């Protein structure tokens, strides 16, 4: 019915004759007389006419609805058709969740007031049954398939409570149905609700409806709404203080997510409510509503015989698509920008990993290019000469540079190159961005301008220079950038596009000497490593890598060859690049500091495979379909140099190494890892610690079965007291981390 959520329920007390009512739940807001008249008439003319009709609204709207029923002609006619046999009431929902009869419009029956209040729980349960009978709330997997849920459970059924919230009146009814749970929470928890947490934004409408009701009923401030995005979002979630929140979980057939929230948040049980479950679930009575589980589990078919339909995050994937596996090939995936970048900067320690610009800097760059690199390259000097000769206009009045020493040196070099071109020995003014406003009079508003930056990331500082120049300069501009290391290829192109934009359609040139996009995976991998190592207490076993947690957090020196986990029985050997790296077309010295360049190249290859439309779809690390895309585990056998294997592990996103949904790939990877761990003192297993760390941090995932088999097979070979075996056993979970001997901070 338009603007009303309608359902039927018996309100009579136990032992009394049935008293069937039609309930019309009204959403807060304007009353449309025609819609209410239609709802009353449709209720009265039903095949089984009710004994009463109850219009339920919020308390502040009771008088408005009752007045309309008594005074509006259309509504008076509708009420008149009840023919002295059907009661008509206006009710409201108390904060306790009880339905209170407030206005008797016609044909009142004496016990109804008490009946309604006593039967409130039963009435709401009937309404919830109607609400959750909506199409697509219960989704059945096609024959021969099973859903793989974010919790890891497999089931042929999946609940989607949000598919019942197709109308605003449905949302309002559900929020009213939650009032009894909120009242129960207030009986157990003294503090008011400050935040309503939800497992998916698909039920945000219910949370916001509660936010409107809560201050109205309790007089407390309006709560905030925050989504933690289902199981995946709980891993790094900042949980609230006990007694300050209410958590709404949309649906869970096993109630496992509610249990996980309670365990991880340590909240009071009354602070979390699952909206929908099955009556076969453990603790199903704690949920707001439980569907009757009428379908017994199919014991005749093993879960191994069913094909998987993965449920991704908060939504489920409706297509049965096996993961798309990408095998890296030079002819398809080589990154020319990474090849050029590595050729220019891989030697002489110009590139490092996890480095800060200064000791006080908070920014840690996963790949850092030294300020001293550009001035030492003859290719860069040729780039500058060509640019100033061909791009810089004769009307040049000044050079503006980014606020760092390398950019200042670049500006000075440009000034020297331009000196022969200046008339009458004139001198160019060099202006730092910091001093731009104080020295803006040196800039010819209509003349040419050169803006330089030695090294940029996203180019935010360079864009700030462009923004600050708009009010004071409308002439031709030439931007020269030494090197750009960005996360995405779109950031590379958008910087150029944004710098070239001009409302006055000024002539603007942008030249970049070298650029590369490396994604965000390297930074994330080092963050995961640091977090993992901090918890392992490796200093207690005097491990050679006990200090890595501080090193990978970022230093002013950065990491070179030690950018990756060491190898060898005593963990003294660093991973090094062997000759003939397939993705470089230049020669490099043996035993050079090439690890940062290998990481950069690998990250750039994968980022290009994710983004580039020039790569054929079959080779792209992405898909237009709703399908998981993974790196084929054969990559680790094909590229069997330890430093390259480690770079692949760190440059890939965790989802690209998640083999838990495909048994074949998982088995291949598990067998490969067994060989790596057993041969950890040989060249074939030099990346053993990197693989173990990836398993430990869930960057690499296998099926539960294959993971257990892997551990069983390597337990015996890893018995012993070498430095490597100790760490491998801890990372693989064979041994627990050593207990810290440090005194508690309160002693």
């Amino acid at each position: 019915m338009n603007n009303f959520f309608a359902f039927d329920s018996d309100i009579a007390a136990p032992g009394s004759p049935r008293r069937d009512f039609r309930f019309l739940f009204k959403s807060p807001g304007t009353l449309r007389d025609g819609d209410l008249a239609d709802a009353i008439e449709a209720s009265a003319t039903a095949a089984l006419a009710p004994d009463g009709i109850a219009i339920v609204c919020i308390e502040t709207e009771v008088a408005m609805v009752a007045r309309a029923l008594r005074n509006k002609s259309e509504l008076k006619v509708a009420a008149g058709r009840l023919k002295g046999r059907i009661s008509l009431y206006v009710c409201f929902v108390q904060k306790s969740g009880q339905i209170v009869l407030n206005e008797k419009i016609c044909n009142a029956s004496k016990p109804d007031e008490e009946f309604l209040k006593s039967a409130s729980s039963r009435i709401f349960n009937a309404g919830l049954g109607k609400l959750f009978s909506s199409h697509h709330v219960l989704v059945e997997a096609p024959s021969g398939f099973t859903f793989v849920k974010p919790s890891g459970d497999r089931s042929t059924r999946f609940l989607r409570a949000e598919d019942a919230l197709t109308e605003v009146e449905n949302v309002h009814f559900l929020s009213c149905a939650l009032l009894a749970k909120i009242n129960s929470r207030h009986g157990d928890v003294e503090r008011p609700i400050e935040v309503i947490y939800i497992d998916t934004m698909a039920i945000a409408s219910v949370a916001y409806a509660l936010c409107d009701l809560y201050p109205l009923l309790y007089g407390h401030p309006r709560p905030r709404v925050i989504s933690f995005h289902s199981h995946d979002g709980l891993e790094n979630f900042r949980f609230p203080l006990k007694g300050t929140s209410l958590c709404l979980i949309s649906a869970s057939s096993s109630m496992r997510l509610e249990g996980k929230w309670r365990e991880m948040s340590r909240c009071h049980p009354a602070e979390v409510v699952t909206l929908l479950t099955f009556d076969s679930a453990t603790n199903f009575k704690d949920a707001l509503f439980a569907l009757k589980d009428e379908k017994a589990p199919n014991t005749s078919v093993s879960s191994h015989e069913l094909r998987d339909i993965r449920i991704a995050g908060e939504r489920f994937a409706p297509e049965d698509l096996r993961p798309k596996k990408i095998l890296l090939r030079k002819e398809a995936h080589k990154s020319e920008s990474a090849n050029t970048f590595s050729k220019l900067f891989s030697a002489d320690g110009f590139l490092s990993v996890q480095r800060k610009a200064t000791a006080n800097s908070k920014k840690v760059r996963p790949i850092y290019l030294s300020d001293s690199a550009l001035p030492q390259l003859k290719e860069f000097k040729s780039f500058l000469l060509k640019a100033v000769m061909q791009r810089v206009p004769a009307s040049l009045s000044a050079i503006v540079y980014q606020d760092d020493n390398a950019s200042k040196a670049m500006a000075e070099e440009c000034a020297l190159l331009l000196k022969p071109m200046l008339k009458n020995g004139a001198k160019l003014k060099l202006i730092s961005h910091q001093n731009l406003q104080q020295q803006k009079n040196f800039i010819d508003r209509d003349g040419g301008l050169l803006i330089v930056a030695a090294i940029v990331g996203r180019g935010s500082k360079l864009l700030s220079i462009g923004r600050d120049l708009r009010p004071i300069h409308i002439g031709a501009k030439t931007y020269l950038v030494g090197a750009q290391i960005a996360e995405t290829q779109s950031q590379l192109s958008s910087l150029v596009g944004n710098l070239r934009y001009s409302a006055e359609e000024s002539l603007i040139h942008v030249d970049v000497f070298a650029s590369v996009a490396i994604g965000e995976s390297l930074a994330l991998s080092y963050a995961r490593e640091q977090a993992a190592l901090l918890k392992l207490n490796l200093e207690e076993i005097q491990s050679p890598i006990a200090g890595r947690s501080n090193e990978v957090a970022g230093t002013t020196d950065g990491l070179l060859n030690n950018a990756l986990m060491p190898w060898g029985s005593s963990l003294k050997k660093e991973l090094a690049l062997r000759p003939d790296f397939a993705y470089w077309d230049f020669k490099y010295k043996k035993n050079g500091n090439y690890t940062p360049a290998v990481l950069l190249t690998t990250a750039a290859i994968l980022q290009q495979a994710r983004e580039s439309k020039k790569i054929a779809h079959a080779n792209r690390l992405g898909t237009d379909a709703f399908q998981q895309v993974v790196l084929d585990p054969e990559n680790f056998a094909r590229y069997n140099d330890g430093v390259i294997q480690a770079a692949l592990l760190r440059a890939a996103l965790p989802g690209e190494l998640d083999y838990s949904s495909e048994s074949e790939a998982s088995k291949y990877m598990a067998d490969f890892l067994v060989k790596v761990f057993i041969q950890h003192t040989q060249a074939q297993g030099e990346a053993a610690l990197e693989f173990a760390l990836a398993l430990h941090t869930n960057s690499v995932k296998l099926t539960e079965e294959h993971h257990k088999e892997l551990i069983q097979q390597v337990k015996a070979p890893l018995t012993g007291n070498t430095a490597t075996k100790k760490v491998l056993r801890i990372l693989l979970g064979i041994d627990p981390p050593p207990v810290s001997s440090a005194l508690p901070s309160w002693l």
Side-chain angles (χ1 to χ4, degrees):
M1 295 181 184
N2 289 339
N3 296 305
F4 293 91
F5 176 67
F7 64 92
D8 299 316
S9 177
D10 174 24
I11 68 168
S16 300
R18 282 186 66 88
R19 184 85 172 138
D20 292 319
F21 260 61
R22 167 66 56 88
F23 289 89
L24 302 175
F25 264 78
K26 176 191 175 295
S27 296
T30 303
L31 175 66
R32 294 181 174 86
D33 299 343
D35 289 338
L36 180 53
D38 290 344
I40 292 172
E41 291 186 12
S43 301
T45 58
L48 294 174
D51 297 306
I53 298 173
I55 302 161
V56 187
C57 56
I58 60 175
E59 187 173 5
T60 55
E61 293 188 356
V62 169
M64 174 191 70
V65 176
R67 188 165 54 250
L69 287 166
R70 291 188 176 113
N71 299 325
K72 296 293 181 68
S73 58
E74 191 175 3
L75 290 171
K76 288 171 68 176
V77 170
R81 290 176 179 168
L82 301 182
K83 297 179 181 179
R85 57 188 175 83
I86 299 177
S87 304
L88 180 60
Y89 304 127
V90 182
C91 308
F92 69 89
V93 184
Q94 287 183 321
K95 67 180 181 181
S96 63
Q98 291 181 306
I99 296 174
V100 177
L101 193 161
N102 191 271
E103 293 283 345
K104 301 173 182 178
I105 305 303
C106 64
N107 310 322
S109 178
K110 188 175 181 180
D112 283 348
E113 186 169 355
E114 189 60 39
F115 279 175
L116 284 166
K117 197 168 187 178
S118 300
S120 294
S121 176
R122 184 157 31 104
I123 292 167
F124 273 113
N125 207 51
L128 290 168
K130 170 74 178 297
L131 180 71
F132 290 125
S133 66
S134 301
H135 189 49
H136 290 320
V137 167
L138 174 59
V139 183
E140 299 275 357
S143 179
F145 293 83
T146 183
F147 293 119
V148 181
K149 303 181 181 181
S151 63
D153 291 342
R154 281 177 162 79
S155 175
T156 56
R157 294 167 299 172
F158 182 58
L159 295 173
R160 292 170 58 93
E162 62 267 28
D163 274 26
L165 306 177
T166 54
E167 306 290 343
V168 66
E169 50 268 20
N170 296 22
V171 172
H172 175 65
F173 169 75
L174 185 53
S175 64
C176 288
L178 284 163
L179 291 178
K181 291 286 187 180
I182 293 176
N183 189 61
S184 175
R185 176 206 177 276
H186 275 274
D188 296 325
V189 180
E190 293 182 359
R191 294 180 64 172
I193 298 171
E194 298 174 11
V195 185
I196 297 176
Y197 291 95
I198 52 179
D199 68 327
T200 166
M201 287 303 292
I203 62 166
S205 56
V206 179
Y208 287 121
L210 283 176
C211 288
D212 291 334
L213 286 173
Y214 190 67
L216 191 67
L217 296 175
Y218 285 90
H220 295 308
R222 179 186 173 92
R224 294 183 299 127
V225 176
I226 297 175
S227 173
F228 60 86
H229 305 299
S230 194
H231 286 267
D232 293 342
L234 288 179
E235 297 304 321
N236 299 306
F237 194 71
R238 293 183 62 183
F239 290 95
L241 294 173
K242 184 176 181 179
T244 63
S245 67
L246 175 69
C247 176
L248 301 181
I249 294 170
S250 57
S252 174
S253 57
S254 63
M255 298 286 283
R256 181 172 294 186
L257 185 54
E258 178 174 319
K260 194 172 182 181
W261 176 271
R262 287 184 184 181
E263 179 186 350
M264 297 180 74
S265 69
R266 299 181 182 178
C267 69
H268 190 280
E271 289 187 276
V272 55
V273 181
T274 298
L275 302 184
L276 182 63
T277 188
F278 285 116
D279 64 1
S280 58
T282 306
N283 301 324
F284 74 92
K285 292 183 179 179
D286 293 335
L288 182 66
F289 186 76
L291 290 174
K292 186 171 180 58
D293 193 355
E294 297 176 340
K295 187 174 181 180
N298 188 349
T299 56
S300 63
V301 180
S302 168
S303 61
H304 296 290
E305 298 177 55
L306 300 176
R307 298 176 67 186
D308 292 341
I309 300 176
R310 292 183 62 79
I311 295 172
E314 304 170 34
R315 310 290 289 177
F316 84 99
E319 299 179 66
D320 171 47
L321 295 174
R322 297 178 68 186
K324 175 184 174 184
K325 293 184 286 188
I326 301 300
L327 183 63
L328 298 176
R329 297 177 174 87
K330 179 180 178 180
E331 59 275 12
H333 296 104
K334 181 180 178 181
S335 169
E336 291 298 339
S337 60
N339 176 71
T340 300
F341 212 94
S342 299
K343 182 178 181 180
L344 292 169
F345 302 117
S346 61
D348 302 316
F350 289 148
L351 290 173
S352 56
V353 173
Q354 289 298 95
R355 180 172 169 178
K356 297 179 179 180
T358 64
N360 297 325
S361 176
K362 294 182 179 180
K363 180 72 174 179
V364 179
R365 299 195 178 277
I367 299 292
Y368 185 93
L369 179 60
S370 172
D371 290 351
S372 63
L374 290 169
Q376 299 184 45
L377 295 176
K378 63 176 187 278
E379 294 91 342
F380 180 64
K381 292 179 180 179
S382 299
F383 163 79
L384 283 185
L385 179 60
K386 182 178 180 180
V388 298
M389 294 295 290
Q390 297 181 1
R391 296 292 194 189
V392 177
S395 59
L396 188 69
S397 60
I399 301 176
V400 179
Y401 60 89
Q402 190 173 271
D403 290 320
D404 58 74
N405 292 332
S407 296
K408 182 180 180 181
M410 182 176 170
E412 291 170 346
E413 179 68 20
C414 289
L416 285 174
L417 294 172
L418 287 165
K419 187 174 181 180
M421 300 169 55
L422 300 176
K423 297 179 180 179
N424 303 322
K427 289 185 178 181
L428 284 172
K429 185 66 177 178
L430 272 58
I431 305 172
S432 70
H433 183 205
Q434 184 178 3
N435 297 323
L436 184 58
Q437 292 304 316
Q438 293 89 336
Q439 299 185 9
K440 62 183 179 182
N441 291 334
F442 291 101
I443 295 176
D444 181 355
R445 180 178 175 82
D446 299 307
L449 195 62
L450 177 61
I451 305 105
V452 302
I455 302 171
V456 302
R458 294 188 178 185
S460 300
K461 293 179 180 178
L462 201 54
L463 289 170
S464 295
I465 294 175
R467 179 198 61 209
D468 294 344
L469 283 171
R470 286 188 197 118
I472 60 177
H473 183 261
I474 61 173
K477 296 181 182 68
T478 299
Y479 288 90
L480 297 182
V481 178
Q484 182 181 9
I485 305 176
E487 290 180 352
T488 66
Q489 292 185 331
S490 62
Q491 288 173 1
L492 298 180
S493 58
S494 65
L495 175 62
V496 175
N498 290 334
L499 291 176
R500 283 179 178 162
Y501 173 76
S502 170
E504 291 82 13
E505 298 185 356
S506 302
L507 181 64
I508 299 177
H509 294 292
V510 181
D511 282 348
V512 182
F513 173 59
S515 62
V516 67
I518 61 171
E520 60 177 354
S521 50
L522 290 180
L524 294 174
S525 75
Y526 282 104
R528 289 193 297 268
E529 179 184 1
Q530 185 199 16
L533 292 179
L534 282 173
K535 298 176 183 178
L536 296 183
N537 301 323
L538 296 180
E539 61 277 358
E540 299 297 329
I541 59 172
Q542 298 180 338
S543 174
I545 63 168
R548 268 190 70 86
S549 61
N550 293 326
E551 295 172 356
V552 299
T555 67
T556 53
D557 294 326
L559 306 175
L560 291 175
N561 275 357
N562 57 338
L564 299 169
M565 287 280 213
W567 70 289
S569 58
S570 60
L571 292 181
K572 295 292 178 65
K573 298 180 180 180
E574 301 294 343
L575 294 178
L577 183 64
R578 295 181 177 84
D580 299 323
F581 183 25
Y583 291 89
W584 287 352
D585 60 10
F586 59 92
K587 293 184 178 181
Y588 48 91
K589 299 176 182 177
K590 187 178 180 180
N591 300 323
N593 297 328
Y594 297 114
T595 303
V598 174
L599 283 166
L600 176 142
T601 300
T602 308
I605 288 169
L606 296 189
Q607 188 61 28
Q608 178 178 268
R610 296 180 191 117
E611 288 190 89
S612 178
K613 301 300 182 184
K614 296 180 180 179
I615 296 177
H617 184 270
N619 296 316
R620 199 177 304 157
L621 200 57
T623 177
D624 296 330
F626 197 69
Q627 179 185 22
Q628 184 189 11
V629 184
V630 298
L631 283 173
D632 194 319
E634 190 180 332
N635 282 298
F636 296 102
R638 171 177 283 204
Y639 304 104
N640 55 14
D641 199 334
V643 69
I644 301 174
Q645 292 172 336
L648 281 171
L649 291 172
R650 291 186 179 267
L653 295 170
E656 294 164 351
L657 298 173
D658 183 354
Y659 306 112
S660 62
S661 62
E662 206 214 1
S663 182
E664 181 183 343
S666 175
K667 177 62 175 173
Y668 183 103
M669 194 67 183
D671 291 343
F672 173 81
L673 290 176
V674 168
K675 296 175 184 177
V676 168
F677 295 139
I678 292 176
Q679 299 176 339
H680 64 271
T681 58
Q682 304 170 43
Q684 297 92 324
E686 59 187 1
L689 256 63
E690 286 285 338
F691 282 109
L693 178 66
L695 283 171
H696 182 81
T697 59
N698 285 324
S699 299
V700 171
K701 288 185 181 180
L702 309 175
T703 66
E704 185 176 356
E705 175 189 359
H706 294 150
H707 192 104
K708 288 180 179 178
E709 289 177 359
L710 163 68
I711 300 304
Q712 288 301 318
Q713 290 184 61
V714 301
K715 261 185 181 180
L718 293 183
T719 302
N721 289 318
T722 67
T724 305
K725 288 182 176 180
K726 288 180 181 179
V727 177
L728 282 174
R729 289 201 304 271
I730 293 172
L731 287 174
L732 294 174
I734 298 171
D735 290 349
V739 178
S740 175
S741 61
L743 292 175
S745 58
W746 49 268
L747 288 179

